[in-house]
Amino acid sequence: MKADQIIIEPILTEKSNIMREEECKKYVFKVDKRANKIQVMRAVKELFSVKPVSCNIVNVSGKRKAILPVSASTYRRGYGRTASWKKAIVTLASGEKIDKFEGA
Amino acid sequence: MIAKKSVEKQENSSVKLSITVKGDEAQKEYNELLNKYGKEAQIKGFRKGKVPAAVLERKFGEGIRVEAAGNIMDKSLREAFETVEEKPLGYTHPEVVGEPELRIGEDFSFEVKYDVFPEFELKDWKGLELKETQVSVTKADEDAELKAIQEQNSVVMDKKDGKVTDDSIVTVDYCELDEEKNEVDGKKREDFVFTVGTGYNYYKIDEEIKGMKKDEEKIIEKEYPEDFEMKDLAGRKVAVKVLVKAVKEKILPELDDELAQDVDEKYETLDDLKKALKDQCKDRAREKVDAELKTQAVDKLVEATEIAVPRSMVDVELEQSWRNFVQQSRMQEEQLLGFLEMQGQTKDQLLETWRADAEKSVKGQLIIGKILEDEKVEISDEEFEEELKKQADMYSMPVEDLKKSFGDNNLTEYLKSDMKTRKVYDMLIKEAKIVKGDKVKYADYIKG
């Protein structure tokens, strides 16, 4: 897998903002479900030219959503579901930062 | 707030004002705005109002900067206009030159252009040479007026002898005949009414019809010249069957005291009426002469004075005349616009043709205003009362009521300023050198 296939998008929340303020900055990304920690670290290194020190990965399961008919021909009801995804928290070496995400 | 400002005069009495605002002041304004939005902003991933400034700046920085720039300009302009000598005219907003950009931490400077009240030197308005048209009201004019009244009071009645003569009003059926004396289809008219001698009929049979009697039928044969105005009759010999159905005549009332009393109860005798008519003629002529003198005076002043009229003033004047135009045409504005479009004109083009006139009238107003100011024309209370009385007389309502209605509608000031303007005009004419102009006859003058 290529680096830009692995990193899907950065995650921008209050929490991720706070994580960036520490000495060793942590950046949060949504990554491809098939990628492992090593691949993510390598991709971040390649894309943003920084040195990741470590990577934590969280599998986020999709949420159950509205009650919907299973198919048009039956009255049976089932649940919808949002897609599950993989979240990666990448810690950079002390003092390093990703310029692209400054102030975002 | 303003660190530096400079005023630069430009043509057409407009002014360029450059203002520089200190960087930290600008920054303060920007931060304030950022805080304001920060409290309200809702961005995905953040609770309401918890969005860090940095994020907000990155997301909406451009918009906020523009708004902050606008705010700063507003504030500083307001401040500047308090101290600057050249005040802007109330018609238009100052126009910002270019697109000033707010850079954080730098001094913010911008330029605005606006129109100021035009300055001009009032030429000597005393001793203008004005031509006064000499209008002579003669006996003939009186008679014409009297005749008009006679006409107005005339009665149309059946003629006793039923004979068609000049000025009889006849009702006829007529029809064109072909060579075998048969009626031609579609050339028949029934109950056609016209006055003999006026020529308001298709076959021009005024002469031929004379002498005919009521209920008489006659075939008129007539040859038309090559250059006859009706194309299908020109150069042809035509037979027309005419049936006279009714012969009427206009009976003019006798010129006597009774007529005078009919016109208005205040006239007792014919002589009274005649005298009143004569006065009326004279008044009308006088009014027109006065109006002419006024326009002459203003025209002369406008010509002699050099004023750079700001465009915005002329535009306002144009807009005014457009509105008048719309009102006069009694159409909806959209209808009128569509109508103009049909004629291949747009509103702007039309206004452009009016521009010269509008400019002139603006100039005239400016000059009158200036004279008003220079001469300190005031309306005293007595004069005002008198004017009110006059107006009350005109509308025949009690002075008190009129006063109240003026007061209710805040028209007192308006009336006063109107009176002032009139006073200025009077002064202009009084101080002018009146030269005797062309002699004209009353009838020509009023018509022309």
Side-chain angles (χ1 to χ4, degrees), chain B residues 252-371:
Chain B
L252 297 178
E254 293 278 314
L255 280 177
D256 53 15
D257 297 351
E258 209 168 301
L259 176 66
Q261 280 161 17
D262 274 352
V263 173
D264 199 317
E265 280 171 9
K266 42 182 189 190
Y267 309 125
E268 268 180 27
T269 61
L270 188 62
D271 286 338
D272 283 351
L273 179 63
K274 272 187 186 164
K275 209 172 146 222
L277 281 178
K278 194 171 177 181
D279 287 347
Q280 208 182 349
C281 288
K282 274 187 183 159
D283 279 352
R284 224 181 284 165
R286 182 76 239 161
E287 236 167 64
K288 197 162 174 198
V289 170
D290 276 349
E292 256 186 15
L293 282 179
K294 272 183 205 170
T295 35
Q296 260 186 49
V298 175
D299 281 357
K300 284 232 163 112
L301 279 176
V302 167
E303 240 168 70
T305 323
E306 258 181 50
I307 312 179
V309 183
R311 205 177 159 81
S312 62
M313 270 180 124
V314 182
D315 283 343
V316 169
E317 178 74 21
L318 276 177
E319 198 50 45
Q320 191 91 29
S321 35
W322 168 252
R323 244 175 283 144
N324 278 344
F325 181 58
V326 170
Q327 230 169 30
Q328 269 168 24
S329 65
R330 294 200 190 157
M331 277 196 262
Q332 293 288 318
E333 193 164 348
E334 280 110 61
Q335 265 179 313
L336 196 60
L337 285 175
F339 190 65
L340 281 178
E341 213 166 285
M342 266 185 344
Q343 294 182 327
Q345 254 188 327
T346 61
K347 181 182 167 187
D348 290 341
Q349 278 172 341
L350 188 70
L351 291 191
E352 212 49 47
T353 56
W354 292 349
R355 187 165 283 279
D357 279 342
E359 207 163 295
K360 207 164 137 190
S361 102
V362 169
K363 277 181 189 173
Q365 284 168 23
L366 285 173
I367 291 169
I368 295 293
K370 184 99 171 178
I371 296 175

Side-chain angles (χ1 to χ4, degrees), chain B residues 64-99:
Chain B
I64 294 177
R65 262 197 293 279
V66 170
E67 198 179 327
N71 282 358
I72 295 168
M73 280 192 274
D74 257 14
K75 275 190 192 168
S76 52
L77 273 182
R78 216 169 300 148
E79 200 179 305
F81 286 149
E82 270 168 27
T83 50
V84 157
E85 226 171 84
E86 290 85 359
K87 300 260 191 290
L89 283 172
Y91 308 129
T92 45
H93 277 295
E95 189 188 333
V96 180
V97 182
E99 282 174 17

Side-chain angles (χ1 to χ4, degrees), chain B residues 217-277:
Chain B
E217 201 177 58
K218 191 173 160 188
I219 292 170
I220 296 170
E221 286 191 7
K222 205 174 172 183
E223 220 178 312
Y224 292 95
E226 287 287 343
D227 55 350
F228 192 66
E229 54 191 299
M230 303 293 175
K231 282 267 161 57
D232 65 303
L233 289 180
R236 274 177 60 202
K237 199 172 175 184
V238 178
V240 188
K241 190 166 77 179
V242 182
L243 171 68
V244 179
K245 280 174 126 182
V247 183
K248 288 177 184 173
E249 67 178 341
K250 207 188 238 175
I251 296 174
L252 297 178
E254 293 278 314
L255 280 177
D256 53 15
D257 297 351
E258 209 168 301
L259 176 66
Q261 280 161 17
D262 274 352
V263 173
D264 199 317
E265 280 171 9
K266 42 182 189 190
Y267 309 125
E268 268 180 27
T269 61
L270 188 62
D271 286 338
D272 283 351
L273 179 63
K274 272 187 186 164
K275 209 172 146 222
L277 281 178

Side-chain angles (χ1 to χ4, degrees), chain B residues 63-253:
Chain B
I64 294 177
R65 262 197 293 279
V66 170
E67 198 179 327
N71 282 358
I72 295 168
M73 280 192 274
D74 257 14
K75 275 190 192 168
S76 52
L77 273 182
R78 216 169 300 148
E79 200 179 305
F81 286 149
E82 270 168 27
T83 50
V84 157
E85 226 171 84
E86 290 85 359
K87 300 260 191 290
L89 283 172
Y91 308 129
T92 45
H93 277 295
E95 189 188 333
V96 180
V97 182
E99 282 174 17
E101 207 178 315
L102 181 66
R103 281 189 213 87
I104 303 306
E106 285 177 35
D107 286 358
F108 176 62
S109 57
F110 63 96
E111 288 170 340
V112 289
K113 248 175 133 164
Y114 57 87
D115 292 339
V116 291
F117 197 79
E119 270 181 30
F120 59 93
E121 218 167 289
L122 193 60
K123 289 277 161 30
D124 199 13
W125 52 272
K126 286 177 186 170
L128 284 173
E129 208 165 276
L130 302 179
K131 258 190 206 161
E132 189 181 27
T133 324
Q134 304 286 309
V135 184
S136 52
V137 180
T138 57
K139 190 97 181 29
D141 299 322
E142 270 171 60
D143 289 347
E145 291 284 320
L146 203 57
K147 191 134 192 217
I149 286 184
Q150 219 181 346
E151 287 274 332
Q152 277 166 21
N153 289 301
S154 64
V155 198
V156 175
M157 276 169 74
D158 277 330
K159 216 172 172 187
K160 270 178 203 146
D161 56 358
K163 211 171 164 187
V164 179
T165 53
D166 256 339
D167 295 330
S168 322
I169 298 161
V170 290
T171 310
V172 290
D173 290 354
Y174 61 80
C175 186
E176 199 176 318
L177 301 177
D178 60 13
E179 277 148 25
E180 280 95 44
K181 305 284 179 231
N182 291 321
E183 292 183 354
V184 181
D185 275 354
K187 296 266 184 172
K188 195 170 165 133
R189 275 295 292 272
E190 279 180 2
D191 293 336
F192 182 73
V193 182
F194 72 97
T195 310
V196 177
T198 51
Y200 284 129
N201 59 79
Y202 189 71
Y203 294 100
K204 297 276 181 296
I205 44 176
D206 295 64
E207 281 304 315
E208 288 79 359
I209 208 171
K210 267 188 222 165
M212 282 173 73
K213 288 210 163 139
K214 201 184 164 197
D215 298 327
E216 192 185 333
E217 201 177 58
K218 191 173 160 188
I219 292 170
I220 296 170
E221 286 191 7
K222 205 174 172 183
E223 220 178 312
Y224 292 95
E226 287 287 343
D227 55 350
F228 192 66
E229 54 191 299
M230 303 293 175
K231 282 267 161 57
D232 65 303
L233 289 180
R236 274 177 60 202
K237 199 172 175 184
V238 178
V240 188
K241 190 166 77 179
V242 182
L243 171 68
V244 179
K245 280 174 126 182
V247 183
K248 288 177 184 173
E249 67 178 341
K250 207 188 238 175
I251 296 174
L252 297 178

